[in-house]
Amino acid sequence: MKRMILMIILALLLAGSAGAEKPLRVVCTLTDLAWLAEQVGGQDAEVVALCPGEYDPHFLPAKPSFARRLGKADLLCYSGLELEVGWLPVLMDKARNRKLHPGGLGELDCSQALERVLDIPTGGISRAQGDVHPEGNPHYLLNPHNGVLVMRLMAERMAVLRPKAADGFRDRAEVAVVDLQKRIKAWEKRSASLRGQPVVQYHQQWEYLADWLGLKILGDVEHRPGIAPSPRHVSKLATQARKANVELLLAAPWNHLDAAGKAAGRMSARLVVLPPAVGALSGVSGYGEMFDRIIEDLLLGKGGNDG
Ligand SMILES: [Zn+2]
């Protein structure tokens, strides 16, 4: 009898320790990645984002608190394509976390999920000349099909890091994928009238969105990132834009909106400030809400010009 009770206690202890496996600590550089990781991770992951949604992810100040978060992480998910090159390596040096060693299981370059990278430079590119996309355009999460690919990639990596929770990661990812794909169909239908529309963008932020929705990007106001555009460049672009009947100039909340507004005026176009990230504008609290807002604002901007 005593032996039986001991065995039952032992079995309960074992079951308890298996169930109490600690959640995976996931640090994402971006709010979009964090949203996707949360869908996949569920109760088996604790997810945080480093760059707040309202900050330009090219130029995030590297705060010591970010390094502390990285120091405790089991998994780092980042955009890659050099989006975070200005601040992530500095933080990683300070974090000294062996689990996140480059090329190891604890670091996940989410751009590896992509089937296609846009704007890959064809030569003569240098950071000194202000090119911030030397490996191609890193703003790929603005095509929701890429969100699908990234969730699946995350699920596979989380499954390797926490084998006991592998089914949970994969199942949750597929549920989220089905939901996102349903919404993608609805967005595509809702935005059908935007197909073929010529637009101008401030920064090369919207290439993947344009590629998805069929917008035609005529040019960029920003000549060098972070620096107000030259009058000569804007003047040339404005002439082209007027000729092509461009109605919309797309910008992010952190762009030079004064310069963007003036450029839009010269093009007789409407400046549309869209959320390029989860949390970039108030009310944009999820990846789906971001596309809801982007499409509504594009349609509104276009309608406003027609009327
Ligand atoms: Zn960029």
Side-chain angles (χ1 to χ4, degrees), residues 87-246:
W87 50 275
L88 188 57
V90 181
L91 291 173
M92 291 291 278
D93 271 357
K94 286 187 186 147
R96 294 173 181 272
N97 183 346
R98 283 186 170 195
K99 285 187 189 169
L100 313 187
H101 192 72
L105 286 175
E107 70 110 50
L108 186 59
D109 172 352
C110 293
S111 73
Q112 286 170 1
L114 298 184
E115 288 165 353
R116 206 159 53 100
V117 174
L118 302 180
D119 301 337
I120 293 178
T122 49
I125 289 300
S126 120
R127 282 204 151 262
Q129 286 169 9
D131 294 299
V132 288
H133 301 160
E135 291 185 3
N137 196 307
H139 305 293
Y140 54 83
L141 290 170
L142 286 165
N143 177 340
H145 288 289
N146 290 334
V148 166
L149 300 177
V150 168
M151 278 197 283
R152 286 183 171 148
L153 181 74
M154 285 174 167
E156 287 315 309
R157 182 60 63 85
M158 289 181 192
V160 172
L161 290 169
R162 284 282 186 281
K164 282 181 189 164
D167 288 346
F169 292 129
R170 293 192 180 113
D171 292 349
R172 277 188 299 268
E174 280 320 297
V175 168
V177 162
V178 167
D179 181 60
L180 187 55
Q181 280 172 335
K182 244 187 242 166
R183 299 180 84 167
I184 288 173
K185 272 197 186 140
W187 290 320
E188 287 173 353
K189 207 169 156 193
R190 177 96 181 94
S191 64
S193 65
L194 296 170
R195 214 149 259 287
Q197 282 289 311
V199 300
V200 165
Q201 61 186 349
Y202 190 85
H203 171 67
Q204 283 184 359
Q205 185 95 44
W206 309 101
E207 303 283 346
Y208 291 89
L209 181 85
D211 184 55
W212 171 47
L213 296 180
L215 300 168
K216 288 188 179 146
I217 296 179
L218 197 85
D220 322 319
V221 175
E222 183 184 66
H223 211 36
R224 286 182 178 200
I227 298 168
S230 79
R232 216 177 71 149
H233 171 68
V234 173
S235 169
K236 204 173 140 195
L237 187 59
T239 307
Q240 285 176 306
R242 277 197 305 272
K243 217 182 262 177
N245 280 326
V246 165

